[in-house]
PDB file of all heavy atoms in Angstrom:
ATOM      1  N   LEU A   1     -49.290  33.595 -13.391  1.00  0.00           N
ATOM      2  CA  LEU A   1     -47.832  33.671 -13.305  1.00  0.00           C
ATOM      3  C   LEU A   1     -47.205  33.629 -14.695  1.00  0.00           C
ATOM      4  O   LEU A   1     -46.261  34.377 -14.983  1.00  0.00           O
ATOM      5  CB  LEU A   1     -47.307  32.525 -12.442  1.00  0.00           C
ATOM      6  CG  LEU A   1     -45.786  32.427 -12.310  1.00  0.00           C
ATOM      7  CD1 LEU A   1     -45.222  33.685 -11.685  1.00  0.00           C
ATOM      8  CD2 LEU A   1     -45.401  31.192 -11.507  1.00  0.00           C
ATOM      9  N   ASN A   2     -47.721  32.784 -15.578  1.00  0.00           N
ATOM     10  CA  ASN A   2     -47.171  32.697 -16.930  1.00  0.00           C
ATOM     11  C   ASN A   2     -47.299  34.029 -17.667  1.00  0.00           C
ATOM     12  O   ASN A   2     -46.368  34.461 -18.363  1.00  0.00           O
ATOM     13  CB  ASN A   2     -47.875  31.605 -17.726  1.00  0.00           C
ATOM     14  CG  ASN A   2     -47.469  30.210 -17.291  1.00  0.00           C
ATOM     15  OD1 ASN A   2     -46.418  30.034 -16.684  1.00  0.00           O
ATOM     16  ND2 ASN A   2     -48.293  29.228 -17.594  1.00  0.00           N
ATOM     17  N   GLN A   3     -48.444  34.680 -17.513  1.00  0.00           N
ATOM     18  CA  GLN A   3     -48.633  35.976 -18.153  1.00  0.00           C
ATOM     19  C   GLN A   3     -47.686  37.022 -17.582  1.00  0.00           C
ATOM     20  O   GLN A   3     -47.118  37.832 -18.317  1.00  0.00           O
ATOM     21  CB  GLN A   3     -50.086  36.429 -17.989  1.00  0.00           C
ATOM     22  CG  GLN A   3     -51.087  35.627 -18.794  1.00  0.00           C
ATOM     23  CD  GLN A   3     -52.517  35.990 -18.448  1.00  0.00           C
ATOM     24  OE1 GLN A   3     -52.871  36.190 -17.282  1.00  0.00           O
ATOM     25  NE2 GLN A   3     -53.355  36.070 -19.469  1.00  0.00           N
ATOM     26  N   SER A   4     -47.518  37.005 -16.266  1.00  0.00           N
ATOM     27  CA  SER A   4     -46.601  37.947 -15.619  1.00  0.00           C
ATOM     28  C   SER A   4     -45.179  37.747 -16.121  1.00  0.00           C
ATOM     29  O   SER A   4     -44.471  38.715 -16.436  1.00  0.00           O
ATOM     30  CB  SER A   4     -46.642  37.776 -14.095  1.00  0.00           C
ATOM     31  OG  SER A   4     -47.908  38.070 -13.574  1.00  0.00           O
ATOM     32  N   MET A   5     -44.736  36.489 -16.199  1.00  0.00           N
ATOM     33  CA  MET A   5     -43.372  36.203 -16.643  1.00  0.00           C
ATOM     34  C   MET A   5     -43.169  36.590 -18.108  1.00  0.00           C
ATOM     35  O   MET A   5     -42.118  37.100 -18.482  1.00  0.00           O
ATOM     36  CB  MET A   5     -43.052  34.723 -16.440  1.00  0.00           C
ATOM     37  CG  MET A   5     -42.926  34.296 -14.990  1.00  0.00           C
ATOM     38  SD  MET A   5     -41.629  35.156 -14.075  1.00  0.00           S
ATOM     39  CE  MET A   5     -42.613  36.364 -13.182  1.00  0.00           C
ATOM     40  N   GLN A   6     -44.185  36.385 -18.933  1.00  0.00           N
ATOM     41  CA  GLN A   6     -44.055  36.761 -20.339  1.00  0.00           C
ATOM     42  C   GLN A   6     -43.969  38.271 -20.489  1.00  0.00           C
ATOM     43  O   GLN A   6     -43.169  38.789 -21.279  1.00  0.00           O
ATOM     44  CB  GLN A   6     -45.240  36.219 -21.146  1.00  0.00           C
ATOM     45  CG  GLN A   6     -45.053  36.399 -22.661  1.00  0.00           C
ATOM     46  CD  GLN A   6     -43.799  35.735 -23.183  1.00  0.00           C
ATOM     47  OE1 GLN A   6     -43.556  34.558 -22.951  1.00  0.00           O
ATOM     48  NE2 GLN A   6     -42.955  36.507 -23.873  1.00  0.00           N
ATOM     49  N   GLN A   7     -44.787  39.006 -19.723  1.00  0.00           N
ATOM     50  CA  GLN A   7     -44.709  40.462 -19.738  1.00  0.00           C
ATOM     51  C   GLN A   7     -43.322  40.931 -19.314  1.00  0.00           C
ATOM     52  O   GLN A   7     -42.756  41.845 -19.903  1.00  0.00           O
ATOM     53  CB  GLN A   7     -45.759  41.071 -18.807  1.00  0.00           C
ATOM     54  CG  GLN A   7     -47.149  41.168 -19.399  1.00  0.00           C
ATOM     55  CD  GLN A   7     -47.994  42.186 -18.648  1.00  0.00           C
ATOM     56  OE1 GLN A   7     -47.489  43.039 -17.929  1.00  0.00           O
ATOM     57  NE2 GLN A   7     -49.286  42.095 -18.819  1.00  0.00           N
ATOM     58  N   LEU A   8     -42.804  40.296 -18.285  1.00  0.00           N
ATOM     59  CA  LEU A   8     -41.492  40.677 -17.783  1.00  0.00           C
ATOM     60  C   LEU A   8     -40.416  40.413 -18.829  1.00  0.00           C
ATOM     61  O   LEU A   8     -39.550  41.260 -19.082  1.00  0.00           O
ATOM     62  CB  LEU A   8     -41.194  39.904 -16.500  1.00  0.00           C
ATOM     63  CG  LEU A   8     -39.881  40.213 -15.780  1.00  0.00           C
ATOM     64  CD1 LEU A   8     -39.802  41.683 -15.415  1.00  0.00           C
ATOM     65  CD2 LEU A   8     -39.747  39.345 -14.544  1.00  0.00           C
ATOM     66  N   LYS A   9     -40.458  39.242 -19.465  1.00  0.00           N
ATOM     67  CA  LYS A   9     -39.485  38.920 -20.516  1.00  0.00           C
ATOM     68  C   LYS A   9     -39.540  39.938 -21.645  1.00  0.00           C
ATOM     69  O   LYS A   9     -38.510  40.428 -22.119  1.00  0.00           O
ATOM     70  CB  LYS A   9     -39.759  37.516 -21.069  1.00  0.00           C
ATOM     71  CG  LYS A   9     -39.360  36.381 -20.150  1.00  0.00           C
ATOM     72  CD  LYS A   9     -39.678  35.047 -20.805  1.00  0.00           C
ATOM     73  CE  LYS A   9     -39.307  33.890 -19.894  1.00  0.00           C
ATOM     74  NZ  LYS A   9     -39.643  32.580 -20.493  1.00  0.00           N
ATOM     75  N   ASP A  10     -40.755  40.256 -22.091  1.00  0.00           N
ATOM     76  CA  ASP A  10     -40.911  41.204 -23.192  1.00  0.00           C
ATOM     77  C   ASP A  10     -40.370  42.576 -22.819  1.00  0.00           C
ATOM     78  O   ASP A  10     -39.733  43.256 -23.636  1.00  0.00           O
ATOM     79  CB  ASP A  10     -42.390  41.320 -23.577  1.00  0.00           C
ATOM     80  CG  ASP A  10     -42.933  40.042 -24.201  1.00  0.00           C
ATOM     81  OD1 ASP A  10     -42.122  39.199 -24.621  1.00  0.00           O
ATOM     82  OD2 ASP A  10     -44.176  39.891 -24.247  1.00  0.00           O
ATOM     83  N   ARG A  11     -40.619  42.992 -21.593  1.00  0.00           N
ATOM     84  CA  ARG A  11     -40.173  44.301 -21.137  1.00  0.00           C
ATOM     85  C   ARG A  11     -38.654  44.368 -21.000  1.00  0.00           C
ATOM     86  O   ARG A  11     -38.021  45.351 -21.373  1.00  0.00           O
ATOM     87  CB  ARG A  11     -40.836  44.637 -19.799  1.00  0.00           C
ATOM     88  CG  ARG A  11     -40.493  46.012 -19.246  1.00  0.00           C
ATOM     89  CD  ARG A  11     -41.069  47.110 -20.095  1.00  0.00           C
ATOM     90  NE  ARG A  11     -40.781  48.420 -19.529  1.00  0.00           N
ATOM     91  CZ  ARG A  11     -41.181  49.563 -20.063  1.00  0.00           C
ATOM     92  NH1 ARG A  11     -41.904  49.563 -21.173  1.00  0.00           N
ATOM     93  NH2 ARG A  11     -40.876  50.712 -19.490  1.00  0.00           N
ATOM     94  N   LEU A  12     -38.058  43.307 -20.475  1.00  0.00           N
ATOM     95  CA  LEU A  12     -36.625  43.311 -20.231  1.00  0.00           C
ATOM     96  C   LEU A  12     -35.821  43.339 -21.523  1.00  0.00           C
ATOM     97  O   LEU A  12     -34.685  43.812 -21.541  1.00  0.00           O
ATOM     98  CB  LEU A  12     -36.234  42.105 -19.388  1.00  0.00           C
ATOM     99  CG  LEU A  12     -36.703  42.139 -17.928  1.00  0.00           C
ATOM    100  CD1 LEU A  12     -36.408  40.816 -17.246  1.00  0.00           C
ATOM    101  CD2 LEU A  12     -36.063  43.286 -17.162  1.00  0.00           C
ATOM    102  N   LYS A  13     -36.402  42.835 -22.592  1.00  0.00           N
ATOM    103  CA  LYS A  13     -35.712  42.873 -23.880  1.00  0.00           C
ATOM    104  C   LYS A  13     -35.425  44.299 -24.328  1.00  0.00           C
ATOM    105  O   LYS A  13     -34.476  44.545 -25.072  1.00  0.00           O
ATOM    106  CB  LYS A  13     -36.561  42.171 -24.948  1.00  0.00           C
ATOM    107  CG  LYS A  13     -36.637  40.664 -24.802  1.00  0.00           C
ATOM    108  CD  LYS A  13     -37.537  40.072 -25.871  1.00  0.00           C
ATOM    109  CE  LYS A  13     -37.696  38.568 -25.709  1.00  0.00           C
ATOM    110  NZ  LYS A  13     -38.628  38.002 -26.716  1.00  0.00           N
ATOM    111  N   ALA A  14     -36.248  45.241 -23.865  1.00  0.00           N
ATOM    112  CA  ALA A  14     -36.136  46.630 -24.326  1.00  0.00           C
ATOM    113  C   ALA A  14     -35.277  47.491 -23.415  1.00  0.00           C
ATOM    114  O   ALA A  14     -35.152  48.678 -23.635  1.00  0.00           O
ATOM    115  CB  ALA A  14     -37.537  47.238 -24.433  1.00  0.00           C
ATOM    116  N   SER A  15     -34.669  46.901 -22.385  1.00  0.00           N
ATOM    117  CA  SER A  15     -33.935  47.709 -21.420  1.00  0.00           C
ATOM    118  C   SER A  15     -32.707  46.981 -20.913  1.00  0.00           C
ATOM    119  O   SER A  15     -32.734  45.785 -20.658  1.00  0.00           O
ATOM    120  CB  SER A  15     -34.844  48.079 -20.238  1.00  0.00           C
ATOM    121  OG  SER A  15     -34.126  48.765 -19.247  1.00  0.00           O
ATOM    122  N   ASP A  16     -31.593  47.733 -20.767  1.00  0.00           N
ATOM    123  CA  ASP A  16     -30.387  47.187 -20.158  1.00  0.00           C
ATOM    124  C   ASP A  16     -30.362  47.469 -18.660  1.00  0.00           C
ATOM    125  O   ASP A  16     -29.456  47.023 -17.952  1.00  0.00           O
ATOM    126  CB  ASP A  16     -29.138  47.800 -20.803  1.00  0.00           C
ATOM    127  CG  ASP A  16     -28.990  47.389 -22.256  1.00  0.00           C
ATOM    128  OD1 ASP A  16     -29.389  46.258 -22.581  1.00  0.00           O
ATOM    129  OD2 ASP A  16     -28.488  48.198 -23.049  1.00  0.00           O
ATOM    130  N   ARG A  17     -31.333  48.227 -18.203  1.00  0.00           N
ATOM    131  CA  ARG A  17     -31.384  48.604 -16.798  1.00  0.00           C
ATOM    132  C   ARG A  17     -31.914  47.451 -15.960  1.00  0.00           C
ATOM    133  O   ARG A  17     -32.831  46.748 -16.370  1.00  0.00           O
ATOM    134  CB  ARG A  17     -32.325  49.804 -16.647  1.00  0.00           C
ATOM    135  CG  ARG A  17     -31.888  50.775 -15.605  1.00  0.00           C
ATOM    136  CD  ARG A  17     -32.793  51.980 -15.532  1.00  0.00           C
ATOM    137  NE  ARG A  17     -32.255  52.875 -14.549  1.00  0.00           N
ATOM    138  CZ  ARG A  17     -32.968  53.600 -13.723  1.00  0.00           C
ATOM    139  NH1 ARG A  17     -34.287  53.555 -13.780  1.00  0.00           N
ATOM    140  NH2 ARG A  17     -32.392  54.388 -12.848  1.00  0.00           N
ATOM    141  N   MET A  18     -31.329  47.250 -14.792  1.00  0.00           N
ATOM    142  CA  MET A  18     -31.822  46.193 -13.920  1.00  0.00           C
ATOM    143  C   MET A  18     -33.202  46.572 -13.382  1.00  0.00           C
ATOM    144  O   MET A  18     -33.464  47.743 -13.068  1.00  0.00           O
ATOM    145  CB  MET A  18     -30.870  45.971 -12.746  1.00  0.00           C
ATOM    146  CG  MET A  18     -29.559  45.295 -13.122  1.00  0.00           C
ATOM    147  SD  MET A  18     -29.763  43.636 -13.844  1.00  0.00           S
ATOM    148  CE  MET A  18     -30.474  42.730 -12.463  1.00  0.00           C
ATOM    149  N   PRO A  19     -34.086  45.601 -13.252  1.00  0.00           N
ATOM    150  CA  PRO A  19     -35.376  45.855 -12.619  1.00  0.00           C
ATOM    151  C   PRO A  19     -35.201  46.040 -11.117  1.00  0.00           C
ATOM    152  O   PRO A  19     -34.105  45.816 -10.567  1.00  0.00           O
ATOM    153  CB  PRO A  19     -36.177  44.595 -12.930  1.00  0.00           C
ATOM    154  CG  PRO A  19     -35.142  43.533 -13.076  1.00  0.00           C
ATOM    155  CD  PRO A  19     -33.932  44.194 -13.662  1.00  0.00           C
ATOM    156  N   VAL A  20     -36.257  46.462 -10.459  1.00  0.00           N
ATOM    157  CA  VAL A  20     -36.307  46.435  -8.998  1.00  0.00           C
ATOM    158  C   VAL A  20     -37.470  45.527  -8.612  1.00  0.00           C
ATOM    159  O   VAL A  20     -38.509  45.517  -9.274  1.00  0.00           O
ATOM    160  CB  VAL A  20     -36.468  47.833  -8.369  1.00  0.00           C
ATOM    161  CG1 VAL A  20     -35.180  48.614  -8.481  1.00  0.00           C
ATOM    162  CG2 VAL A  20     -37.605  48.606  -8.994  1.00  0.00           C
ATOM    163  N   VAL A  21     -37.289  44.775  -7.533  1.00  0.00           N
ATOM    164  CA  VAL A  21     -38.215  43.695  -7.197  1.00  0.00           C
ATOM    165  C   VAL A  21     -38.601  43.758  -5.722  1.00  0.00           C
ATOM    166  O   VAL A  21     -37.733  43.966  -4.858  1.00  0.00           O
ATOM    167  CB  VAL A  21     -37.569  42.313  -7.486  1.00  0.00           C
ATOM    168  CG1 VAL A  21     -38.516  41.182  -7.090  1.00  0.00           C
ATOM    169  CG2 VAL A  21     -37.160  42.191  -8.948  1.00  0.00           C
ATOM    170  N   PHE A  22     -39.886  43.572  -5.450  1.00  0.00           N
ATOM    171  CA  PHE A  22     -40.348  43.362  -4.080  1.00  0.00           C
ATOM    172  C   PHE A  22     -41.040  42.011  -4.025  1.00  0.00           C
ATOM    173  O   PHE A  22     -41.944  41.731  -4.831  1.00  0.00           O
ATOM    174  CB  PHE A  22     -41.328  44.443  -3.634  1.00  0.00           C
ATOM    175  CG  PHE A  22     -41.907  44.175  -2.262  1.00  0.00           C
ATOM    176  CD1 PHE A  22     -41.203  44.518  -1.127  1.00  0.00           C
ATOM    177  CD2 PHE A  22     -43.134  43.538  -2.124  1.00  0.00           C
ATOM    178  CE1 PHE A  22     -41.714  44.239   0.138  1.00  0.00           C
ATOM    179  CE2 PHE A  22     -43.660  43.256  -0.864  1.00  0.00           C
ATOM    180  CZ  PHE A  22     -42.941  43.613   0.278  1.00  0.00           C
ATOM    181  N   LEU A  23     -40.634  41.169  -3.070  1.00  0.00           N
ATOM    182  CA  LEU A  23     -41.247  39.862  -2.909  1.00  0.00           C
ATOM    183  C   LEU A  23     -41.892  39.762  -1.533  1.00  0.00           C
ATOM    184  O   LEU A  23     -41.265  40.055  -0.509  1.00  0.00           O
ATOM    185  CB  LEU A  23     -40.202  38.751  -3.053  1.00  0.00           C
ATOM    186  CG  LEU A  23     -39.549  38.629  -4.428  1.00  0.00           C
ATOM    187  CD1 LEU A  23     -38.539  37.493  -4.429  1.00  0.00           C
ATOM    188  CD2 LEU A  23     -40.591  38.417  -5.526  1.00  0.00           C
ATOM    189  N   GLY A  24     -43.167  39.339  -1.522  1.00  0.00           N
ATOM    190  CA  GLY A  24     -43.816  38.984  -0.276  1.00  0.00           C
ATOM    191  C   GLY A  24     -43.308  37.621   0.145  1.00  0.00           C
ATOM    192  O   GLY A  24     -43.613  36.619  -0.496  1.00  0.00           O
ATOM    193  N   HIS A  25     -42.474  37.570   1.207  1.00  0.00           N
ATOM    194  CA  HIS A  25     -41.788  36.301   1.494  1.00  0.00           C
ATOM    195  C   HIS A  25     -42.585  35.357   2.393  1.00  0.00           C
ATOM    196  O   HIS A  25     -42.369  34.148   2.363  1.00  0.00           O
ATOM    197  CB  HIS A  25     -40.390  36.545   2.072  1.00  0.00           C
ATOM    198  CG  HIS A  25     -40.358  37.203   3.415  1.00  0.00           C
ATOM    199  ND1 HIS A  25     -39.825  38.454   3.597  1.00  0.00           N
ATOM    200  CD2 HIS A  25     -40.754  36.788   4.648  1.00  0.00           C
ATOM    201  CE1 HIS A  25     -39.894  38.776   4.879  1.00  0.00           C
ATOM    202  NE2 HIS A  25     -40.460  37.790   5.533  1.00  0.00           N
ATOM    203  N   GLY A  26     -43.489  35.884   3.210  1.00  0.00           N
ATOM    204  CA  GLY A  26     -44.339  35.002   4.004  1.00  0.00           C
ATOM    205  C   GLY A  26     -43.571  34.116   4.970  1.00  0.00           C
ATOM    206  O   GLY A  26     -42.550  34.513   5.537  1.00  0.00           O
ATOM    207  N   SER A  27     -44.037  32.901   5.159  1.00  0.00           N
ATOM    208  CA  SER A  27     -43.455  31.969   6.118  1.00  0.00           C
ATOM    209  C   SER A  27     -42.042  31.563   5.725  1.00  0.00           C
ATOM    210  O   SER A  27     -41.757  31.337   4.547  1.00  0.00           O
ATOM    211  CB  SER A  27     -44.323  30.708   6.204  1.00  0.00           C
ATOM    212  OG  SER A  27     -43.648  29.690   6.911  1.00  0.00           O
ATOM    213  N   PRO A  28     -41.134  31.405   6.722  1.00  0.00           N
ATOM    214  CA  PRO A  28     -39.808  30.867   6.411  1.00  0.00           C
ATOM    215  C   PRO A  28     -39.857  29.500   5.731  1.00  0.00           C
ATOM    216  O   PRO A  28     -38.938  29.144   4.990  1.00  0.00           O
ATOM    217  CB  PRO A  28     -39.144  30.760   7.789  1.00  0.00           C
ATOM    218  CG  PRO A  28     -39.841  31.763   8.642  1.00  0.00           C
ATOM    219  CD  PRO A  28     -41.264  31.772   8.149  1.00  0.00           C
ATOM    220  N   MET A  29     -40.944  28.747   5.945  1.00  0.00           N
ATOM    221  CA  MET A  29     -41.063  27.426   5.333  1.00  0.00           C
ATOM    222  C   MET A  29     -41.072  27.481   3.814  1.00  0.00           C
ATOM    223  O   MET A  29     -40.777  26.474   3.147  1.00  0.00           O
ATOM    224  CB  MET A  29     -42.318  26.718   5.846  1.00  0.00           C
ATOM    225  CG  MET A  29     -42.237  26.284   7.305  1.00  0.00           C
ATOM    226  SD  MET A  29     -40.923  25.071   7.593  1.00  0.00           S
ATOM    227  CE  MET A  29     -41.580  23.655   6.707  1.00  0.00           C
ATOM    228  N   ASN A  30     -41.386  28.633   3.252  1.00  0.00           N
ATOM    229  CA  ASN A  30     -41.356  28.766   1.796  1.00  0.00           C
ATOM    230  C   ASN A  30     -39.955  28.547   1.233  1.00  0.00           C
ATOM    231  O   ASN A  30     -39.797  28.302   0.042  1.00  0.00           O
ATOM    232  CB  ASN A  30     -41.870  30.149   1.377  1.00  0.00           C
ATOM    233  CG  ASN A  30     -43.348  30.321   1.649  1.00  0.00           C
ATOM    234  OD1 ASN A  30     -44.124  29.380   1.512  1.00  0.00           O
ATOM    235  ND2 ASN A  30     -43.760  31.519   2.042  1.00  0.00           N
ATOM    236  N   ALA A  31     -38.940  28.628   2.102  1.00  0.00           N
ATOM    237  CA  ALA A  31     -37.567  28.389   1.653  1.00  0.00           C
ATOM    238  C   ALA A  31     -37.319  26.932   1.293  1.00  0.00           C
ATOM    239  O   ALA A  31     -36.420  26.629   0.500  1.00  0.00           O
ATOM    240  CB  ALA A  31     -36.580  28.823   2.736  1.00  0.00           C
ATOM    241  N   ILE A  32     -38.097  26.016   1.871  1.00  0.00           N
ATOM    242  CA  ILE A  32     -37.835  24.588   1.644  1.00  0.00           C
ATOM    243  C   ILE A  32     -39.032  23.840   1.075  1.00  0.00           C
ATOM    244  O   ILE A  32     -38.918  22.657   0.753  1.00  0.00           O
ATOM    245  CB  ILE A  32     -37.359  23.889   2.938  1.00  0.00           C
ATOM    246  CG1 ILE A  32     -38.404  24.005   4.051  1.00  0.00           C
ATOM    247  CG2 ILE A  32     -36.020  24.458   3.395  1.00  0.00           C
ATOM    248  CD1 ILE A  32     -38.060  23.208   5.309  1.00  0.00           C
ATOM    249  N   GLU A  33     -40.168  24.514   0.940  1.00  0.00           N
ATOM    250  CA  GLU A  33     -41.361  23.852   0.415  1.00  0.00           C
ATOM    251  C   GLU A  33     -41.539  24.127  -1.075  1.00  0.00           C
ATOM    252  O   GLU A  33     -41.281  25.237  -1.551  1.00  0.00           O
ATOM    253  CB  GLU A  33     -42.599  24.327   1.169  1.00  0.00           C
ATOM    254  CG  GLU A  33     -42.668  23.849   2.603  1.00  0.00           C
ATOM    255  CD  GLU A  33     -43.927  24.292   3.327  1.00  0.00           C
ATOM    256  OE1 GLU A  33     -44.612  25.215   2.822  1.00  0.00           O
ATOM    257  OE2 GLU A  33     -44.228  23.722   4.388  1.00  0.00           O
ATOM    258  N   ASP A  34     -41.986  23.116  -1.786  1.00  0.00           N
ATOM    259  CA  ASP A  34     -42.356  23.266  -3.197  1.00  0.00           C
ATOM    260  C   ASP A  34     -43.817  23.699  -3.229  1.00  0.00           C
ATOM    261  O   ASP A  34     -44.721  22.883  -3.062  1.00  0.00           O
ATOM    262  CB  ASP A  34     -42.150  21.943  -3.930  1.00  0.00           C
ATOM    263  CG  ASP A  34     -42.583  22.018  -5.396  1.00  0.00           C
ATOM    264  OD1 ASP A  34     -42.777  23.143  -5.905  1.00  0.00           O
ATOM    265  OD2 ASP A  34     -42.746  20.949  -6.016  1.00  0.00           O
ATOM    266  N   ASN A  35     -44.043  24.994  -3.402  1.00  0.00           N
ATOM    267  CA  ASN A  35     -45.409  25.510  -3.428  1.00  0.00           C
ATOM    268  C   ASN A  35     -45.516  26.603  -4.486  1.00  0.00           C
ATOM    269  O   ASN A  35     -44.538  26.887  -5.197  1.00  0.00           O
ATOM    270  CB  ASN A  35     -45.838  26.011  -2.044  1.00  0.00           C
ATOM    271  CG  ASN A  35     -44.921  27.095  -1.489  1.00  0.00           C
ATOM    272  OD1 ASN A  35     -44.413  27.936  -2.225  1.00  0.00           O
ATOM    273  ND2 ASN A  35     -44.698  27.083  -0.180  1.00  0.00           N
TER     274      ASN A  35
END
């Protein structure tokens, strides 16, 4: 995750365009669980 976030930060510095994101949301419990 740290590597992914660093790549994302580095990439976003070079663009004013908003990214597009897909999230695998899984169980509704992920909304309230620290995991």
Side-chain angles (χ1 to χ4, degrees):
L1 177 60
N2 286 339
Q3 290 172 319
S4 297
M5 291 300 101
Q6 189 58 53
Q7 279 200 18
L8 183 58
K9 286 180 181 178
D10 292 343
R11 182 68 178 181
L12 290 173
K13 289 178 183 177
S15 175
D16 294 327
R17 216 177 183 217
M18 288 299 296
V20 287
V21 178
F22 175 82
L23 295 180
H25 66 245
S27 168
M29 290 297 292
N30 292 324
I32 59 174
E33 290 182 344
D34 177 14
N35 58 36

